[in-house]
Amino acid sequence: MRLTVILPKTDYIVGEHRPARLILRNESGMTLAFGATPPTTPGAVRLTLIGPALSGGASAPWREVSSKALSHALAARTGSRGRLAPGQSIESTIALHDWLPVTKPGRYRLEASLLHAAYPVVSSPVEFDVLAPPLCPASLGCDIAGPEGSEVLTTWLQEVAGQRMLMTRVFHETRDGQSLTAGLHGAARALGAVAPGTSEALAPWSNDPARISSVSWLVWRNGASLMALAEPATMTGPFRFDLEEPPARLVRPPLQTAAGELFIPVISARGRELRLIAFRSASDATHVTPGWEIGRVRLRGAPVASRATLQPASLGNGVSVVLIEPSPHGLEVHHVRTSGLGRFSRVETTHLRGLSALPDSEPGLWIDASGRLRAAVLALSSKAPRQLVLAEVTHRPDGRLGPPARMTALGELPCAPRSALVRPHPALKHAGALTWAILLEDGRLLGPGTSGAPMWTRHPVSLPLELYLGQGAYILTRDPVRGPVFEPLRSTRPTGSSGG
């Protein structure tokens, strides 16, 4: 009898999906019989892991593992008893990250044992390394106008064993007693290596909360090339569109629709042109098709902030992009959008006099069921440079300017800002209610939930800023071991805070 444990690779990050494949093979000359399914009789498989903080080893609960492992497969063959003929083998896969999670980097050793009185067997140990490599900025994707508490996808690039990998992780809100936390749901997954020089990965926002489409996209950029992943593409053969030169920036977020479309707004290298690139796929697609350019718009000057969003699918999946540009007397808010005829054009410019832009800032956008767009911008007063102002601009369903912009004073900043963003709540029941966050130069974080007192996060805040809005509000931070994690946007300072 031989028991073998196989791992698909030898290098992981903390919290990554780690499937262990177990193979039990009868190498004797006779048929081997097993008793009834545990726990009433022997025959269970035990997994033992030894590594950092597990010097004595840790074993997965044999009762639980056996229900997923070889003994379960054996018993399922003939009901209460199982038989394994000479030369026959049985395979099973166990989610090792669920049964034996690891929280510290280092080298680990895993072995499996079959607990059977007549023919016990222990596998040869296999070793793997858990790494804590540096990570690149993370991007958050979610559903627009979906139910409250919808899962959100985070993607980022991470150096693992000399290769830059595209990583993903799903978060959702969980309840711990009476408190809510942005808990982890599932494990991080390494989708594959990207080419050297890849600089950013982006998760799209979707207007398909009902999941009508089975197409799900991810985006990354390598120099002047935009790459996109969805069926039937692979990491080595992705969807691709080549620009003439590396862009100044990709407007966040990419946008995906129920029709399987992906839209990526791009600001050109010199910041004087906005282009809209598109891809399309379907669940039954058999070939990777080239991306194409929908259109481009000349810009008066280089924008200092931008954001994109989608109309509801019932209105035609129109794309709206808002650009913030400094002017001699304040700020200009440009609204660029697609029309029903497929054109991509600027439809309106709003002048916000007496305001100046925050550094590395991002506006918040919300399109309601009628097609009305609301853009919210955090800015500073030109007369009082520490005075924070929230400016809200509304556009009618035809894209034209609605009522005059609304200005709300939010108080004075305690020190210089480093980065800022506004986010409308994506859940339909909240109808775009606004939350904002400002990262200060000293590493503290200011928001409406911090009661006017900046907060310290336990880990450094991830840049560009990302907020997850569920029943609570959470800021994305960078745990040096676990990677991207969410922390509540609140006024209390956690014990052992890093100070940002």
Side-chain angles (χ1 to χ4, degrees):
M1 183 76 71
R2 175 178 293 181
L3 181 60
T4 305
V5 180
I6 299 175
L7 294 175
K9 58 181 186 175
T10 58
D11 296 306
Y12 297 86
I13 65 167
V14 174
E16 185 179 346
H17 179 72
R18 284 178 289 115
R21 183 173 163 220
L22 277 68
I23 304 173
L24 182 66
R25 181 177 177 82
N26 182 359
E27 297 185 342
S28 71
M30 60 182 181
T31 297
L32 303 178
F34 294 83
T37 304
T40 55
T41 61
V45 173
R46 184 192 302 275
L47 293 172
T48 301
L49 185 66
I50 297 176
L54 300 172
S55 56
S59 295
W62 68 273
R63 181 192 301 258
E64 294 172 342
V65 172
S66 68
S67 68
K68 298 284 185 182
L70 298 171
S71 51
H72 177 72
L74 282 168
R77 282 175 169 270
T78 57
S80 60
R81 299 187 63 82
R83 293 178 179 275
L84 199 59
Q88 191 176 28
S89 61
I90 298 178
E91 296 188 16
S92 179
T93 300
I94 294 175
L96 190 63
H97 52 278
D98 287 336
W99 301 114
L100 290 170
V102 297
T103 58
K104 289 188 176 183
R107 173 155 292 192
Y108 289 81
R109 188 173 77 246
L110 173 70
E111 66 178 28
S113 53
L114 178 66
L115 309 180
H116 196 286
Y119 21 80
V121 61
V122 178
S123 72
S124 298
V126 294
E127 293 187 339
F128 61 92
D129 292 311
V130 173
L131 312 173
L135 30 138
C136 298
S139 169
L140 178 69
C142 70
D143 293 323
I144 304 169
E148 186 173 53
S150 297
E151 294 179 340
V152 291
L153 174 70
T154 301
T155 186
W156 70 100
L157 300 171
Q158 189 154 18
E159 301 287 343
V160 180
Q163 288 187 308
R164 180 160 285 194
M165 307 294 291
L166 181 65
M167 309 293 300
T168 63
R169 195 168 204 166
V170 173
F171 292 83
H172 73 167
E173 203 170 33
T174 57
R175 183 175 293 276
D176 180 13
Q178 296 301 311
S179 64
L180 288 163
T181 60
L184 293 180
H185 177 67
R189 291 180 179 269
L191 300 186
V194 294
T198 300
S199 57
E200 58 185 317
L202 296 172
W205 283 48
S206 165
N207 67 350
D208 182 27
R211 297 291 193 272
I212 295 172
S213 173
S214 60
V215 177
S216 183
W217 294 90
L218 285 174
V219 175
W220 66 98
R221 181 175 70 85
N222 187 319
S225 298
L226 305 180
M227 312 292 189
L229 182 66
E231 293 290 344
T234 63
M235 288 296 298
T236 55
F239 290 86
R240 178 173 180 150
F241 185 89
D242 294 321
L243 304 166
E244 294 77 15
E245 55 186 332
R249 74 175 73 167
L250 304 186
V251 178
R252 302 195 318 159
L255 304 166
Q256 67 179 32
T257 73
E261 300 160 311
L262 172 71
F263 300 108
I264 308 174
V266 177
I267 297 176
S268 64
R270 280 166 285 280
R272 294 304 181 95
E273 204 168 47
L274 176 67
R275 305 169 66 178
L276 185 61
I277 310 303
F279 298 89
R280 181 183 288 119
S281 190
S283 58
D284 58 353
T286 57
H287 296 87
V288 174
T289 54
W292 74 97
E293 183 171 348
I294 291 179
R296 61 180 71 187
V297 174
R298 293 288 299 173
L299 305 177
R300 299 174 187 173
V304 294
S306 59
R307 185 73 181 174
T309 193
L310 273 173
Q311 288 179 340
S314 59
L315 299 178
N317 297 322
V319 174
S320 281
V321 180
V322 168
L323 307 167
I324 311 298
E325 180 188 335
S327 73
H329 304 290
L331 296 175
E332 293 183 348
V333 181
H334 305 292
H335 179 203
V336 181
R337 75 173 198 167
T338 56
S339 69
L341 300 176
R343 289 194 293 265
F344 187 52
S345 59
R346 179 172 45 237
V347 291
E348 195 67 83
T349 295
T350 306
H351 300 276
L352 302 177
R353 294 185 176 275
L355 298 181
S356 61
L358 276 75
D360 192 23
S361 180
E362 199 170 71
L365 308 183
W366 175 260
I367 299 180
D368 65 20
S370 71
R372 185 175 55 180
L373 169 70
R374 181 162 57 116
V377 182
L378 281 175
L380 297 173
S381 169
S382 300
K383 295 181 179 179
R386 290 287 178 88
Q387 175 64 53
L388 185 64
V389 177
L390 177 66
E392 297 177 71
V393 178
T394 302
H395 294 265
R396 302 187 312 234
D398 63 1
R400 298 297 178 181
L401 188 63
R406 183 171 67 176
M407 308 288 185
T408 305
L410 299 178
E412 289 194 0
L413 295 179
C415 66
R418 181 180 175 188
S419 184
L421 87 166
V422 185
R423 282 287 181 274
H425 201 297
L428 183 60
K429 66 177 287 187
H430 292 284
L434 298 176
T435 298
W436 51 270
I438 300 174
L439 179 64
L440 302 172
E441 283 287 0
D442 63 5
R444 293 180 297 168
L445 199 67
L446 190 65
T450 61
S451 305
M455 64 171 279
W456 294 98
T457 52
R458 186 177 301 278
H459 304 292
V461 174
S462 180
L463 290 173
L465 293 177
E466 287 282 15
L467 277 176
Y468 167 23
L469 301 178
Q471 295 184 54
Y474 310 88
I475 193 76
L476 188 64
T477 64
R478 296 158 58 100
D479 185 318
V481 174
R482 293 184 295 160
V485 294
F486 282 93
E487 299 185 33
L489 191 62
R490 60 190 180 201
S491 59
T492 54
R493 178 169 179 162
T495 303
S497 167
S498 67

